[in-house]
Amino acid sequence: MSTLYASVAVPRPVRRLFTYSVPPHLAPRCRRGVRVMVPFGRRKLTGYLLEISESASDTAPGLPLRPLEEVLDPDPVLDESILDLTRWAAEYYIASWGEMIRSALPGMKAVVRRVVRITTSGSQALQRGGGALLDASLPKIARDPLAREILGEIDQFSSESGAAIRLEDLRRRIGARFKRTMLRRLERERLVEILEVTGAPGPRPRLEERVHLASPAIDSPASAPRGPRQREILRRLEEAGGALAAPALLEGAKTGRAALRALAARGLVRIETVDSPRRPLSLEIPTDPIAALTPTPEQQAAIDSLGEAITARRFSTTLLQGVT
């Protein structure tokens, strides 16, 4: 099978197209009009695939081509009419074709996010070491309290949601103690993996942690809550009917996650991550009916002039002068 090359427009003020090689596993999905993720310098950008060919004559001889990273769409999001319109607009306004496509399709930019997941070695290191005495066979980094806290948060989130945790969420859970250098050390020791994933365009689902009361009564001394903070968490859950969002629960109980994790370890509460529907802000704001607007004579003259060209489907240039 011959090597394929893709001509891609990127949303940057560069008027030429860029050529990338097409990995064999992506070739069946490469169609004119799909969005693709491409390396661009040190970054990754959402580009628009415009042509597929078996030659790359526009590249410098001997210069290795970087491959496409990912095809983002199962079907083209740009039809021929949009491609023709945006190409004409790019030529007319002496602009980048990629920028014109982005202007025509707002909100279609994909987002690259970093996520962290614990490896098998990381899970084993977390399970082997515990309590006051840590396993001497553990890697040195796995004995560090902050490293173990980071591993524990990743492991807990992964077991609840079945996925890796976003880097920003991990930083938020650890708080001010979080250190990026510690995470990189864990990655070097192969205890965690840091991956880049492509997020779909548009608003992401809002994830919410909810805490459920697993046992309304304390049956044995071994499972009894220890300390006023744990008892306060249970009391608030009982008053709320057995379930509360984790942030509201912790804020109301004036305590941190350590008390909540201790209750979960004793089987008294269950923590789960669920999708929380977003309610548009516009639905919360009362709106007044908009009164009918009457244009001034100067505005009406401009409207009539524009309307004539639109009705006749005639391309023309119109200058609006002054405060019209």
Side-chain angles (χ1 to χ4, degrees):
M1 180 179 179
S2 59
T3 303
L4 296 179
Y5 302 93
S7 296
V8 177
V10 296
R12 285 292 182 270
V14 183
R15 298 191 63 200
R16 73 178 183 88
L17 302 181
F18 292 85
T19 303
Y20 294 87
S21 64
V22 178
H25 70 281
L26 293 182
R29 300 171 54 197
C30 286
R31 299 161 61 188
R32 176 175 164 87
V34 298
R35 294 171 307 141
V36 290
M37 185 64 66
V38 297
F40 194 83
R42 295 183 179 181
R43 305 180 58 190
K44 293 184 181 180
L45 298 179
T46 305
Y48 309 95
L49 194 154
L50 302 177
E51 297 292 343
I52 290 287
S53 64
E54 295 184 358
S55 63
S57 57
D58 59 333
T59 61
L63 183 66
L65 289 176
R66 302 174 76 179
L68 297 179
E69 295 275 348
E70 188 176 350
V71 178
L72 301 176
D73 306 299
D75 298 299
V77 296
L78 303 167
D79 59 23
E80 292 300 326
S81 63
I82 292 293
L83 290 173
D84 290 343
L85 173 63
T86 51
R87 178 172 53 189
W88 172 87
E91 293 173 354
Y92 183 82
Y93 292 106
I94 316 177
S96 157
W97 194 355
E99 287 188 312
M100 281 297 169
I101 293 174
R102 183 175 62 179
S103 299
L105 297 175
M108 295 297 287
K109 177 184 176 182
V111 179
V112 177
R113 297 192 177 277
R114 288 190 171 184
V115 298
V116 186
R117 71 183 180 193
I118 192 167
T119 64
T120 302
S121 298
S123 297
Q124 291 173 350
L126 191 63
Q127 293 169 5
R128 278 166 33 209
L133 299 177
L134 294 176
D135 191 335
S137 66
L138 287 175
K140 184 177 178 181
I141 183 64
R143 306 177 205 173
D144 185 283
L146 177 58
R148 297 191 63 78
E149 183 178 3
I150 291 174
L151 288 174
E153 288 290 349
I154 300 171
D155 184 65
Q156 179 185 0
F157 185 89
S158 300
S159 63
E160 293 170 0
S161 65
I165 185 172
R166 294 185 302 175
L167 181 57
E168 58 264 36
D169 290 336
L170 177 61
R171 184 184 292 113
R172 175 178 54 81
R173 281 172 167 247
I174 300 298
R177 301 183 308 283
F178 180 82
K179 292 181 180 179
R180 189 68 177 268
T181 54
M182 182 64 72
L183 187 63
R184 284 198 289 265
R185 288 176 62 191
L186 288 169
E187 183 184 26
R188 284 197 299 269
E189 293 288 340
R190 303 182 185 276
L191 301 180
V192 302
E193 289 181 335
I194 303 176
L195 309 171
E196 288 186 335
V197 297
T198 304
R204 302 187 309 276
R206 180 172 174 264
L207 298 179
E208 178 182 77
E209 278 189 326
R210 292 191 64 81
V211 183
H212 297 265
L213 189 62
S215 177
I218 308 303
D219 296 327
S220 67
S223 63
R226 301 174 185 174
R229 294 180 178 178
Q230 294 183 23
R231 288 195 292 270
E232 180 65 13
I233 289 176
L234 294 179
R235 186 185 69 81
R236 289 183 174 272
L237 282 173
E238 289 176 352
E239 290 182 351
L244 267 178
L249 174 61
L250 295 176
E251 182 179 358
K254 294 182 173 55
T255 186
R257 287 187 169 273
L260 187 59
R261 285 198 295 267
L263 289 172
R266 294 186 178 91
L268 297 176
V269 301
R270 176 171 48 85
I271 306 171
E272 65 177 5
T273 304
V274 298
D275 288 348
S276 177
R278 296 178 182 270
R279 181 174 175 83
L281 182 62
S282 58
L283 297 181
E284 310 291 347
I285 303 175
T287 57
D288 297 325
I290 300 175
L293 301 177
T294 303
T296 65
E298 293 82 2
Q299 291 172 339
Q300 189 60 55
I303 292 171
D304 293 341
S305 177
L306 292 170
E308 291 176 4
I310 293 173
T311 302
R313 303 182 66 84
R314 181 180 72 250
F315 175 76
S316 64
T317 302
T318 304
L319 173 65
L320 296 179
Q321 185 176 0
V323 298
T324 307

